[in-house]
Amino acid sequence: MTKYLGYLILSVGFIISLIAYIFQDNLVLTKQAFAVSISIFRISTFFLLLYLSLTLISLGQRVVSRRLYLLGIFLIPALIPDLFHILSFSFFPDFITENKRHKTAYLYLFSRTMVIVALYLSIFSEKFFSREVNQKVLPVILTLFSLFTSLGIVLYYSHLPPIFLQMDSVKPTWYKTAYDVISFVLLSFIAVYIYRKKVFGERVSPYVSLSVGFLALSVFTFSLALHKHVFDFMVPLASFYRAVGYGLFTFSVLYLSVRKESKAIMESTRKLLFLLMKEKPFKEGDIFYIKLGKGTTYGISNLFIYDLKDKKWLAQAYEEEKKDMPAIEPMEMGKFLQNLGKTYLDREYHYSLYEDYLVITEITSEYNRDAESPLKNLHILNVERLLLGYFLNLINFERVIEEKTRELQRLYLLLETSEYATQAYNNIDTFSKQVLERLDYTLKMDGSVFYMWNKNAELPERVVFSSGFLQNFPDFKLHQLLERVMESPDMYGAGDKYIYCKFESNYYQSGLLGLRKDKGFDKEEFLFLKTVSNQLFHVVRLMKVIEDLEKAQASIRFLTEYDPLTMLYNRKSFEKILENEIESANRSGESLCLLFIDVDNFKIINDTYGYHVGDMVLKHVAEVLKKKIRRLDTAGRLGGDEFGVILPKANKGVVEYIAERLRQEVLNTPITFGDTEIRASLSVGIVCYPLDAKNKEEILSLGEALTHNIKREGKGRVKSVEESVKEIYTSFRRIERKVLESLEKASIEVFLQDIVNLSTEKVEGFEALMRLKVDDDLLPASRFINIAEDMGLVQKLDIAMIEGLFQKIASVKDKKDILLFINLSPQDLTDDFIKDVVQRAKTYGVETARIVFEITEREAIQDIGRMSSFLKGLKEAGFRFAIDDFGSGYASFLYLKYLPVDFLKIEGEFIKSMKRSHVDRIFVKSIVDVAKGLGIKTVAEYVENVETIDILLDLGIDYAQGYYIGKPGPAEEKLRNFFSKG
């Protein structure tokens, strides 16, 4: 609204009032018309003012300005007398007291006074309400004052000075006229002040000023009325002007200031959001710019963003043209805002602090005209936050994308680590190499290394390099870094341009190192390396367990099939291959021959040069067999110094040639150790199938008999089966029949031989020896055990002997601790045998811990896997275990790794020769040392004199057994003597 339009409207109102005054006598209303018009205008004015007041209060200072909010509060006291004035109209029933014109006049004038007070207090609020408490207390005081004053007028109006000199002529008093003049002057002053000072903003203030002008016109018109006539037309006219003033005031405040401004802000926000969705900022130097366009941001012409942390300008949003950055000191302004509450507004700029960012908003001239608009202040804050977030997202977009990409790559690597584990086929090198390559790519490393260190051997078991390490660090002294990492007490750590993680399990340490050339690693990268390393180490640990298990299984499988000293098939495997070849010969109809090879004078070699030289001889013979036999032939070690060769598809003539060539090769190739040179001699027997024997058992028996015959005749020869040999074999079979009859009946006797504890010199146990009754003789086990094994009767005999032994122990009343050593045969290695023995031990009350089962070293190596499983069952039942005749070679120690041994019974040949052989004594000493280290007790066999006892004590052997200690005797006699001693 222009200034002249306002003047014109008010001028028209004054002219109407003057014309009404001139024709006052002709414009007299009837009482009823007067009352109706007054009621319409006064009541509508009251509710209009009430609506305005309640609306301003409910909107609050976040939507309307402080002046308007205070105006709404202070209009409440003005409404109280106005309400009393309406209730005191003549056509209403008497309100408390009789309704008189004098009463209504006072209420009307008091209402006008409170309106003027409300206008003054709100317009000059910064003077009246410098303290917050005044803003809260004064409205309450004025409201109470208005209420009691209005009630006092109603009750005591008759005691108040008269307002009219004569009620009939209604001529007003001088002070009523003076009050009207004062009211007119005050309202006119307020109207001019509002217009000139733009108290309510440049757009709204003219309308508010015009509305106050109508209030002043109402006072002027009312002051001219009631001089002649009670129902003067000018009184309703004054009420009309008053209603127009309040209506115009309500329109300017609620429509122009609130609704229209809110609509403009919403439209501006919509345009800004659409612009940000469509437009893309551009960058000049380090600053991002975006053009907003005219009218896009309501009240804002430019916006600047400064990074206080990095001390640089970041972005600018402008309407039409770019503008230079504000000439301020951003750091000082940041400190100022921090102390002020992070927001400051002056006439041109709005300053806000958001964490480490300073936002400076240039205000438009339109905003300056409406400086007290809380809605626009809130809008500016929202636009600042929106543009700040927009620019920060834009500025950090590439960094965020890079971080998310790296995060995805890391998650992908974790998933790939599991995938690699399934694809590496339990190959630690392949798996760790794949993880290293991916880790280099993800963490932008120049190289990485994975290692496994064997703590027992103090040697690296594995070192795996990534491709980047091999390329970027060709001359790197890795061993120095590995030493530093392995010696560190921390499982995770970082150094100059490297990080590491390590893990320890059992006897090895695994570690992963990442290296860079130019920079170090941050905390996030270090945590990620820890995560990947933990997963890598757990998978590697599982692979290591599987690898060790496979190696152990391979070792057991090797020991099951091969002789560890000569690397030839063992007897069990040899016999199995022989069965297959016999079946093949039966199908093809071709002949099959075997060579039975015995090393001549092998015991003399052992006694003279030591068992290590004997082992060298056996290895030498084995190497000759491997090199000189045909590809389709099979060689095996059948016993201590016995070998066998299976020659399929060969006639006797060819076999004799091969046998002689082997014998000559061994004889002509000397074995050298130190300055000594020896030559080995072989006795070779040839047995052919089916010419000489009909089955496997006959072949093996005939071959053994043939080699014995060769040795009796002179050794060092090759011999085929002749009639004389067959006769000897047949005679031997006749003798076996008598033995078989006794075996079938299990006609056995139990003999015991003493075992003494060398430290206490007391007998603490016995070895149970089996004797077979044949007619009137008692045969030792060596005479019939092989036959019993061939017949499958060994287990039956052993059970019979054990039961007889347990019966004799149970018959003794005095139960002293005693160790009972019982020999086992390979045929006893079954679960049924263990259950049978356990049951008999329970039946006769014999403690299983007293029973020590022993098996010869030769039998133990036949099938290590089966033996290991059998001994586990014995141990679980409480029995103990001993290896008999221990010491056929250095390979003997290998068995101790796989068998749970409690006692070692050292080969008697060592014991007998210790007095004259320093080598044998050293060898026995080595057995004792190894046994003590493994917690195994040692027993010396074949102790035949006191000198041997002294040597045994010097070597630290635990127990002794032999003819010097005690000869075998019947079990009853031995047990009676043992338990009869105190």
Side-chain angles (χ1 to χ4, degrees):
M1 175 184 290
T2 62
K3 174 174 65 174
Y4 300 106
L5 180 60
Y7 288 158
L8 177 62
I9 293 173
L10 287 175
S11 299
V12 171
F14 272 103
I15 292 171
I16 292 173
S17 295
L18 291 175
I19 293 172
Y21 182 74
I22 295 171
F23 297 98
Q24 186 176 21
D25 294 337
N26 298 319
L27 296 174
V28 178
L29 302 175
T30 63
K31 181 178 181 180
Q32 184 177 4
F34 181 85
V36 170
S37 60
I38 287 294
S39 300
I40 291 172
F41 292 129
R42 295 288 174 86
I43 293 173
S44 61
T45 301
F46 171 78
F47 283 107
L48 192 63
L49 198 63
L50 177 64
Y51 169 72
L52 175 64
S53 175
L54 295 179
T55 303
L56 292 175
I57 294 172
S58 62
L59 289 175
Q61 295 186 68
R62 291 186 62 85
V63 177
V64 297
S65 66
R66 184 167 181 254
R67 285 190 175 93
L68 289 175
Y69 175 73
L70 291 174
L71 178 62
I73 292 176
F74 289 120
L75 283 177
I76 298 297
L79 289 169
I80 295 173
D82 207 13
L83 176 63
F84 278 52
H85 171 245
I86 293 171
L87 294 175
S88 299
F89 284 168
S90 60
F91 53 83
F92 280 132
D94 290 344
F95 175 64
I96 302 176
T97 57
E98 184 179 2
N99 291 338
K100 294 291 186 177
R101 188 177 297 274
H102 192 52
K103 172 182 173 182
T104 58
Y106 262 109
L107 289 172
Y108 174 74
L109 295 177
F110 183 59
S111 173
R112 181 201 299 170
T113 301
M114 296 309 296
V115 169
I116 294 173
V117 170
L119 288 172
Y120 266 88
L121 289 176
S122 61
I123 292 170
F124 301 103
S125 58
E126 66 275 2
K127 296 180 180 179
F128 290 105
F129 304 106
S130 58
R131 293 171 57 188
E132 186 72 20
V133 67
N134 294 339
Q135 182 176 328
K136 295 178 180 179
V137 174
L138 189 57
V140 176
I141 295 174
L142 286 177
T143 301
L144 293 175
F145 171 75
S146 176
L147 177 63
F148 288 115
T149 302
S150 300
L151 191 60
I153 291 173
V154 171
L155 294 174
Y156 304 106
Y157 67 91
S158 58
H159 300 284
L160 295 175
I163 292 178
F164 303 102
L165 295 176
Q166 298 178 8
M167 290 303 298
D168 294 335
S169 62
V170 293
K171 187 176 181 65
T173 61
W174 66 269
Y175 45 84
K176 190 266 182 186
T177 304
Y179 176 71
D180 287 342
V181 173
I182 293 172
S183 299
F184 176 77
V185 172
L186 288 175
L187 289 170
S188 299
F189 169 76
I190 292 172
V192 173
Y193 184 84
I194 290 173
Y195 184 83
R196 296 186 64 180
K197 297 295 183 181
K198 303 296 185 291
V199 174
F200 297 102
E202 191 165 331
R203 184 176 66 248
V204 177
S205 292
Y207 292 92
V208 176
S209 175
L210 181 61
S211 67
V212 177
F214 270 102
L215 294 180
L217 182 59
S218 172
V219 172
F220 172 76
T221 305
F222 188 76
S223 65
L224 297 178
L226 300 176
H227 285 269
K228 294 183 178 181
H229 307 284
V230 175
F231 304 113
D232 194 338
F233 170 76
M234 295 188 70
V235 175
L237 183 60
S239 298
F240 169 75
Y241 289 149
R242 188 170 179 239
V244 171
Y246 286 151
L248 189 60
F249 197 96
T250 303
F251 167 79
S252 60
V253 170
L254 299 184
Y255 182 81
L256 296 180
S257 179
V258 178
R259 181 183 179 278
K260 196 170 183 180
E261 190 170 83
S262 300
K263 184 178 179 182
I265 289 173
M266 291 175 64
E267 181 64 19
S268 170
T269 304
R270 185 190 68 80
K271 291 180 180 179
L272 178 60
L273 291 174
F274 185 76
L275 173 75
L276 296 180
M277 290 172 59
K278 186 173 65 173
E279 296 295 328
K280 184 178 180 181
F282 61 94
K283 190 175 183 181
E284 292 183 2
D286 293 333
I287 302 176
F288 283 89
Y289 295 91
I290 187 170
K291 182 178 180 181
L292 302 178
K294 191 70 174 177
T296 303
T297 53
Y298 182 57
I300 298 174
S301 59
N302 287 281
L303 183 138
F304 310 91
I305 300 175
Y306 185 83
D307 188 342
L308 296 172
K309 186 176 181 181
D310 294 336
K311 298 180 181 180
K312 64 178 183 179
W313 293 99
L314 288 183
Q316 178 184 356
Y318 58 92
E319 275 191 327
E320 295 295 335
E321 298 292 336
K322 288 189 296 183
K323 188 175 180 180
D324 293 337
M325 300 300 174
I328 63 167
E329 181 55 48
M331 301 304 294
E332 294 298 325
M333 177 58 70
K335 294 178 182 178
F336 172 73
L337 294 175
Q338 191 72 41
N339 298 326
L340 192 64
K342 300 188 177 182
T343 300
Y344 173 71
L345 176 67
D346 66 10
R347 296 299 295 175
E348 294 184 7
Y349 291 97
H350 187 278
Y351 303 92
S352 297
L353 185 64
Y354 299 94
E355 295 182 357
D356 294 328
Y357 299 97
L358 173 65
V359 179
I360 304 172
T361 306
E362 185 179 8
I363 310 303
T364 62
S365 57
E366 181 182 4
Y367 178 84
N368 288 331
R369 292 195 298 270
D370 299 324
E372 288 195 21
S373 172
L375 270 179
K376 192 167 293 183
N377 289 342
L378 184 62
H379 169 64
I380 289 174
L381 289 174
N382 289 334
V383 171
E384 286 178 350
R385 295 188 187 101
L386 176 64
L387 290 176
L388 175 63
Y390 175 76
F391 279 117
L392 289 181
N393 284 333
L394 179 69
I395 292 169
N396 297 325
F397 180 74
E398 293 182 1
R399 181 181 60 82
V400 170
I401 290 297
E402 182 179 355
E403 286 295 321
K404 293 300 180 183
T405 302
R406 289 174 61 190
E407 196 173 311
L408 288 174
Q409 289 174 346
R410 294 172 184 180
L411 291 173
Y412 183 57
L413 175 56
L414 292 176
L415 293 174
E416 278 188 335
T417 306
S418 300
E419 183 181 351
Y420 295 153
T422 61
Q423 295 178 353
Y425 304 106
N426 293 326
N427 188 306
I428 296 176
D429 296 331
T430 302
F431 170 66
S432 55
K433 173 80 170 177
Q434 290 172 326
V435 175
L436 292 181
E437 298 292 345
R438 193 65 184 176
L439 197 59
D440 283 359
Y441 173 76
T442 303
L443 290 183
K444 307 294 187 246
M445 297 192 300
D446 295 316
S448 52
V449 181
F450 171 76
Y451 71 87
M452 290 180 66
W453 181 265
N454 190 318
K455 294 186 289 187
N456 290 340
E458 295 187 352
L459 290 171
E461 190 170 305
R462 277 184 176 84
V463 180
V464 180
F465 305 96
S466 69
S467 301
F469 182 89
L470 296 174
Q471 180 180 351
N472 297 320
F473 301 95
D475 301 323
F476 187 77
K477 297 180 179 179
L478 180 63
H479 65 279
Q480 297 179 353
L481 180 58
L482 286 179
E483 288 178 3
R484 190 157 60 248
V485 169
M486 287 189 291
E487 291 174 0
S488 172
D490 299 323
M491 303 307 289
Y492 308 97
D496 184 22
K497 300 175 185 176
Y498 75 89
I499 53 178
Y500 71 88
C501 298
K502 59 183 181 178
F503 173 81
E504 294 191 2
S505 176
N506 298 329
Y507 59 89
Y508 68 91
Q509 180 190 103
S510 299
L512 193 151
L513 294 84
L515 301 95
R516 284 181 181 155
K517 285 184 173 181
D518 303 325
K519 65 175 183 177
F521 296 85
D522 58 33
K523 183 178 180 181
E524 184 180 351
E525 291 170 329
F526 178 69
L527 292 175
F528 178 71
L529 183 75
K530 284 175 60 177
T531 303
V532 175
S533 299
N534 283 333
Q535 187 169 359
L536 170 65
F537 294 150
H538 287 307
V539 175
V540 166
R541 180 174 63 175
L542 177 60
M543 287 185 173
K544 181 64 177 173
V545 170
I546 295 172
E547 184 182 83
D548 291 344
L549 181 60
E550 288 177 346
K551 287 182 179 179
Q553 290 174 342
S555 298
I556 293 174
R557 189 164 53 250
F558 170 78
L559 291 173
T560 301
E561 297 179 2
Y562 291 88
D563 171 59
L565 177 63
T566 62
M567 303 301 287
L568 298 177
Y569 285 110
N570 57 26
R571 187 180 185 94
K572 181 180 178 182
S573 300
F574 186 85
E575 291 183 3
K576 188 173 183 180
I577 294 171
L578 177 57
E579 290 176 354
N580 294 334
E581 290 295 342
I582 290 173
E583 291 180 4
S584 177
N586 290 335
R587 289 194 301 268
S588 64
E590 295 177 332
S591 61
L592 170 68
C593 293
L594 280 82
L595 300 183
F596 290 89
I597 303 170
D598 202 315
V599 180
D600 297 331
N601 305 315
F602 185 69
K603 185 177 183 305
I604 296 174
I605 294 174
N606 278 337
D607 292 342
T608 303
Y609 302 106
Y611 282 86
H612 64 288
V613 177
D615 287 346
M616 292 173 63
V617 171
L618 296 177
K619 290 180 180 179
H620 173 63
V621 173
E623 289 301 318
V624 171
L625 294 179
K626 293 175 191 175
K627 293 177 181 177
K628 298 301 180 180
I629 63 176
R630 300 175 304 169
R631 185 168 296 180
L632 69 163
D633 299 339
T634 302
R637 184 184 177 191
L638 304 183
D641 59 349
E642 300 169 3
F643 297 87
V645 180
I646 302 172
L647 299 97
K649 302 178 182 179
N651 57 45
K652 221 168 200 181
V654 173
V655 174
E656 287 176 351
Y657 169 77
I658 294 174
E660 183 60 31
R661 186 180 64 175
L662 293 175
R663 191 188 69 79
Q664 289 291 340
E665 182 70 23
V666 171
L667 184 64
N668 296 332
T669 308
I671 302 165
T672 304
F673 55 96
D675 297 331
T676 306
E677 182 180 286
I678 63 172
R679 296 178 185 272
S681 173
L682 302 181
S683 294
V684 183
I686 302 172
V687 179
C688 291
Y689 172 86
L691 180 62
D692 301 324
K694 304 302 181 184
N695 52 50
K696 181 190 77 172
E697 288 73 19
E698 287 190 11
I699 293 174
L700 297 174
S701 299
L702 189 56
E704 187 175 351
L706 183 57
T707 53
H708 284 303
N709 189 44
I710 296 172
K711 288 194 173 186
R712 281 197 302 270
E713 293 178 356
K715 304 179 182 179
R717 293 187 301 120
V718 175
K719 188 173 183 178
S720 301
V721 176
E722 299 174 351
E723 288 300 322
S724 59
V725 176
K726 287 187 178 181
E727 289 177 4
I728 295 171
Y729 177 71
T730 304
S731 175
F732 181 71
R733 287 299 184 190
R734 282 197 300 269
I735 297 172
E736 284 184 342
R737 289 194 190 97
K738 290 186 179 182
V739 175
L740 291 176
E741 293 175 1
S742 298
L743 290 175
E744 288 290 351
K745 298 175 183 178
S747 302
I748 62 168
E749 291 288 339
V750 182
F751 275 48
L752 298 179
Q753 186 176 19
D754 310 64
I755 298 177
V756 68
N757 187 323
L758 291 175
S759 62
T760 63
E761 298 182 357
K762 292 182 179 181
V763 176
E764 293 187 1
F766 299 93
E767 179 178 356
L769 304 173
M770 188 184 299
R771 297 292 185 262
L772 182 67
K773 288 182 180 181
V774 179
D775 295 334
D776 295 328
D777 295 329
L778 288 176
L779 299 182
S782 60
R783 294 279 302 275
F784 62 85
I785 197 66
N786 290 337
I787 301 173
E789 287 177 349
D790 292 339
M791 295 177 64
L793 297 174
V794 172
Q795 190 174 122
K796 178 181 179 181
L797 296 178
D798 286 341
I799 291 294
M801 184 190 74
I802 290 170
E803 183 164 17
L805 180 61
F806 286 178
Q807 284 177 343
K808 292 175 174 57
I809 294 176
S811 65
V812 180
K813 295 182 180 180
D814 187 7
K815 304 292 186 181
K816 289 199 303 182
D817 288 341
I818 184 174
L819 290 175
L820 297 173
F821 288 75
I822 302 173
N823 288 283
L824 291 179
S825 167
Q827 294 182 7
D828 294 330
L829 308 185
T830 64
D831 293 337
D832 291 338
F833 176 82
I834 298 174
K835 294 177 183 177
D836 211 343
V837 176
V838 171
Q839 182 60 44
R840 281 168 170 74
K842 290 181 180 178
T843 301
Y844 295 106
V846 178
E847 295 181 11
T848 56
R850 296 183 181 184
I851 309 302
V852 182
F853 288 109
E854 59 180 84
I855 193 165
T856 65
E857 181 182 335
R858 174 180 172 181
E859 292 166 340
I861 68 173
Q862 296 292 321
D863 190 343
I864 289 290
R866 182 183 173 196
M867 177 62 69
S868 178
S869 176
F870 175 75
L871 293 182
K872 182 180 178 182
L874 282 180
K875 288 288 186 179
E876 291 175 353
F879 296 105
R880 292 195 267 184
F881 174 66
I883 293 181
D884 195 11
D885 300 335
F886 184 81
S888 63
Y890 286 136
S892 303
F893 293 121
L894 181 63
Y895 313 138
L896 302 181
K897 184 176 179 181
Y898 302 100
L899 301 177
V901 180
D902 299 293
F903 296 89
L904 290 181
K905 300 188 76 173
I906 303 172
E907 167 64 43
E909 296 297 329
F910 289 123
I911 305 301
K912 288 194 296 184
S913 60
M914 280 194 307
K915 289 191 298 181
R916 62 178 183 276
S917 174
H918 180 67
V919 173
D920 286 350
R921 188 179 299 184
I922 292 175
F923 184 71
V924 172
K925 176 63 175 174
S926 67
I927 293 176
V928 174
D929 291 341
V930 171
K932 286 185 180 297
L934 297 175
I936 300 173
K937 299 292 185 181
T938 51
V939 183
E941 297 184 301
Y942 295 112
V943 179
E944 298 176 349
N945 50 61
V946 68
E947 292 87 353
T948 304
I949 292 290
D950 294 336
I951 296 173
L952 297 178
L953 287 170
D954 183 56
L955 295 176
I957 293 179
D958 301 299
Y959 297 93
Q961 175 184 356
Y963 279 14
Y964 181 77
I965 304 298
K967 294 181 180 181
E972 296 89 340
E973 180 183 339
K974 289 286 185 180
L975 293 174
R976 185 170 56 252
N977 293 335
F978 177 78
F979 289 111
S980 63
K981 295 178 181 179

